[in-house]
Amino acid sequence: IEKLTYHLETTPNSIVGEIGLDGFHFCPQTKELVAPLDYQVDVFEQQMILAHQLKKPVSLHAVQCWGVLSQSLAKLKRQKTFPSSIYFLAFGGKAGTLDQLLALCKQANCIPYFGFAPCVNFRSPKTSTLIKKIGIAHLLLESDREDASKVNGDIETGIQLISETLELEKDTIIKQTNINAQRFYGF
């Protein structure tokens, strides 16, 4: 945490992230999570408290552990150590999870943003329903790609799906997600 604190304090436009919880990746030999969930939660909560203290937005990813994440966020809300803004990357939660996160963020005066990556989320039939529920004012574009040559195509695919789902022109999607990104990153 000390090293992270140093880098965040010396880099004015930095954010905290990508951080989060992973309930999916298991060690093949031991069949245990690669990083024990209680350890992940402890580190995650320290990172979230740091984001709150330094007034930094958080980029958050959760994999198959939405219940644990919700419990941790509720604890941070009670402690009044919630960051001012959270970006839920490649959001894969259910509609009920979305409702829970939106309520927690509202109660904690936190502005939530959500992204959906074509390579992660677009095969799921719930993605369009979630996009409608979130609305354009809280969406960000993303690719979740390691291969930079595929990023632009994924961004275009994201624009297309959001445009069709929300029945908005592509230019409107581009303009509003750009505004959302600037708000999230604090520019």
Side-chain angles (χ1 to χ4, degrees), residues 21 80 185:
L21 302 174
K80 300 187 184 320
Y185 289 104

Side-chain angles (χ1 to χ4, degrees), residues 9 15 17 25 34 40 47 54 92 107-108 118 120 128-129 149 155:
E9 288 178 335
I15 68 168
H25 291 92
V34 173
Q40 291 184 55
Q47 293 166 330
L54 298 178
Q107 293 163 7
V120 175
S128 291
T129 302
S149 69
I155 296 299

Side-chain angles (χ1 to χ4, degrees), residues 28-44:
Q29 291 79 23
T30 66
K31 309 294 186 225
E32 301 284 327
L33 281 171
V34 173
L37 204 50
D38 57 341
Y39 175 74
Q40 291 184 55
V41 169
D42 181 51
V43 172
F44 170 72

Side-chain angles (χ1 to χ4, degrees), residues 24-181:
F24 179 74
H25 291 92
F26 291 86
C27 174
Q29 291 79 23
T30 66
K31 309 294 186 225
E32 301 284 327
L33 281 171
V34 173
L37 204 50
D38 57 341
Y39 175 74
Q40 291 184 55
V41 169
D42 181 51
V43 172
F44 170 72
E45 289 176 357
Q46 289 179 54
Q47 293 166 330
M48 291 288 282
I49 290 167
L50 182 61
H52 169 77
Q53 291 169 342
L54 298 178
K55 297 178 176 39
K56 299 281 188 180
V58 171
S59 173
L60 191 154
H61 191 81
V63 182
Q64 294 187 5
C65 55
W66 291 105
V68 174
L69 177 71
S70 292
Q71 290 171 1
S72 183
L73 292 175
K75 176 183 171 185
L76 293 164
K77 181 186 71 79
R78 286 190 306 275
Q79 295 173 344
K80 300 187 184 320
T81 53
F82 226 78
S84 60
S85 186
I86 299 176
Y87 172 25
F88 295 92
L89 292 157
F91 182 71
K94 297 176 183 174
T97 302
L98 175 61
D99 291 340
Q100 207 173 23
L101 294 174
L102 290 171
L104 274 169
C105 287
K106 184 176 181 177
Q107 293 163 7
N109 294 317
C110 171
I111 302 169
Y113 293 97
F114 295 84
F116 297 90
C119 64
V120 175
N121 304 107
F122 283 21
R123 291 181 299 264
S124 173
K126 68 182 174 185
T127 299
S128 291
T129 302
L130 294 171
I131 288 171
K132 285 179 184 175
K133 192 167 207 161
I134 292 164
I136 189 63
H138 294 278
L139 289 172
L140 293 173
L141 297 171
E142 69 172 270
S143 70
D144 204 30
R145 293 284 191 173
E146 293 179 15
D147 181 348
S149 69
K150 296 181 179 178
V151 170
N152 287 344
D154 275 10
I155 296 299
E156 287 295 327
T157 301
I159 292 167
Q160 181 67 37
L161 178 69
I162 295 169
S163 174
E164 291 170 2
T165 300
L166 297 180
E167 299 177 1
L168 295 171
E169 296 294 324
K170 288 183 182 181
D171 286 345
T172 302
I173 304 303
I174 293 167
K175 181 179 177 182
Q176 186 61 51
T177 55
N178 186 28
I179 290 167
N180 296 349

